[in-house]
Structures are given as C-alpha cells and as structure tokens.
C-alpha cells in the first residue's frame, strides 16, 4: 500500500507560492523567539517520541550566535577554556584595574576615616604633647641662640635707653633732692 504523491492538483499548485512565502518569512524572520513556548514544544516532542527531555536549554541572540554556541559546546572543554582564557584576560585587563582602584580608594577612605575617628584623638593626646615639647626645645636650641646673638644687643640697648629715659627722670626727681641734701650736709 503505497500512498506516494506523484502529481499535484491545480489547487495544490496554486497554493505553492503562498506556502513558499509563508515559510520563507518564518525562516528569515529576525523577530525574537518565544523561548518559553519553544522550550515547551521541544519537551512535548521529546516526550511524545518516548525520549528523555533535554536537561539544558541555551538562549542565543541570533542563528549565528546559536551556531557558534553549538560549535563551542560540541568542541568540548579545550575550545571553551581557550575562549574563556582570552575573554577573561581581556576583561580583567580592561575592568580589573578600574574596579581594584575604585575599591581600594573606597576602602582606604572609609577605613582611614574610621581609624582616625577612633585612634587619632587618643594618639594625639598621648604623643602630641611630647612631640610638641621636643620640637619646641629643638627649635629653641637651634634658632634661639642665633636670634639672640643677632637681635639681643639691639633689643637690650633700645629697651635700656627707653627705660632709662622714662624711669631715670622720675627716680631722679623723687630721690635726687634727698641725695643732694645729704651730700651737702
């Protein structure tokens, strides 16, 4: 019993262009696939055929990316590892340094502020006075003698002259007469 079709009727011949256009449109479509419905249809087909339903389903952006993905999946670990190594190196080179620098700066700022808030005042209270005294003593020892040697005589002479001019006249006015009288007597 052979039901082999050897000729098309006029009606079937007239439908060919319409069917051709329909399936060309479907085959050439770039519309996104309804992934969930396609997955369900595949599972139903496998179950109807009595086969084990696939465990993994991969979603690709285009037939080209699906072809590349299928090739990589079939090629095994070696190709996948090579691609991962190349992509990983490129991503790390481009992004790793930026991320590392940003994280380091944020951690440094946050930790630095916390440490200074907790420890800074304590350290300054314990060490600040010692450092201040030592610096003052060293500066005075090194600079004080030089300044006094250069300026001291001038200051002493000016202050002495002013003090003598103001105080001397008053002292002489008060004591001078008494001293003069005693010396004459």
């Amino acid at each position: 019993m052979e039901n082999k079709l050897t000729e098309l009727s006029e009606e079937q011949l007239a439908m060919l262009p319409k069917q051709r256009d329909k399936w060309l449109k479907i085959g050439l479509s770039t519309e996104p696939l309804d992934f969930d419905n396609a997955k369900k249809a595949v599972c139903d087909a496998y179950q109807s055929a009595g086969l084990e339903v696939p465990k993994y389903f991969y979603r690709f952006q285009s037939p080209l990316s699906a072809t590349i993905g299928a090739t990589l999946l079939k090629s095994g670990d070696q190709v996948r590892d090579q691609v991962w190594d190349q992509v990983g190196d490129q991503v790390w080179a481009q992004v790793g340094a930026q991320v590392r620098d940003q994280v380091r700066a944020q951690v440094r700022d946050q930790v630095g502020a916390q440490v200074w808030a907790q420890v800074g005042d304590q350290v300054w209270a314990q060490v600040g006075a010692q450092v201040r005294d030592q610096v003052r003593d060293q500066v005075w020892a090194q600079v004080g003698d030089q300044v006094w040697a250069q300026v001291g005589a001038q200051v002493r002479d000016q202050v002495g002259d002013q003090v003598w001019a103001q105080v001397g006249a008053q002292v002489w006015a008060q004591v001078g007469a008494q001293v003069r009288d005693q010396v004459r007597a």
Side-chain angles (χ1 to χ4, degrees):
M1 175 156 105
E2 198 173 297
N3 287 335
K4 188 175 180 183
L5 186 62
T6 58
E7 284 187 34
L8 296 176
S9 67
E10 290 295 322
E11 186 178 318
Q12 290 171 327
L13 286 172
M15 290 177 45
L16 280 178
K18 185 176 179 182
Q19 289 297 316
R20 177 199 64 213
D21 292 343
K22 173 185 172 184
W23 289 105
L24 276 174
K25 182 179 177 185
I26 291 171
L28 296 175
S29 174
T30 58
E31 294 294 317
L33 173 72
D34 183 348
F35 186 79
D36 294 329
N37 281 336
K39 181 179 173 182
K40 183 181 179 319
V42 168
C43 290
D44 290 345
Y46 271 76
Q47 286 176 345
S48 296
L51 299 172
E52 185 179 341
V53 175
K55 293 178 185 177
Y56 304 105
F57 289 86
Y58 298 96
R59 186 181 303 218
F60 295 97
Q61 294 291 323
S62 68
L64 176 61
S65 65
T67 302
I68 293 169
T71 302
L72 291 174
L73 290 170
K74 287 179 184 177
S75 298
D77 293 338
Q78 182 181 4
V79 172
R80 190 171 36 251
D81 290 346
Q82 288 175 353
V83 170
W84 179 251
D85 288 345
Q86 290 175 358
V87 171
D89 290 346
Q90 290 175 1
V91 168
W92 183 250
Q94 294 173 2
V95 178
Q98 293 174 355
V99 170
R100 184 178 56 248
D101 291 346
Q102 289 175 355
V103 168
R104 185 178 292 151
Q106 289 174 354
V107 168
R108 183 184 60 238
D109 292 346
Q110 290 174 356
V111 170
Q114 290 174 357
V115 168
W116 185 252
Q118 294 173 4
V119 178
D121 291 340
Q122 294 174 0
V123 170
W124 184 250
Q126 294 173 3
V127 178
Q130 294 173 358
V131 170
R132 187 177 51 247
D133 292 345
Q134 288 176 358
V135 169
R136 185 185 60 228
D137 292 346
Q138 287 176 356
V139 168
W140 184 252
Q142 293 173 1
V143 177
D145 291 340
Q146 293 174 1
V147 170
W148 185 251
Q150 293 173 4
V151 179
Q154 294 173 358
V155 170
R156 186 177 55 243
D157 292 344
Q158 288 177 357
V159 170
D161 291 345
Q162 289 176 358
V163 168
W164 182 251
Q166 293 174 2
V167 175
Q170 292 175 0
V171 168
W172 183 251
Q174 294 175 1
V175 179
Q178 295 173 357
V179 171
R180 198 176 35 243
D181 290 344
Q182 289 179 2
V183 170
R184 285 188 198 163

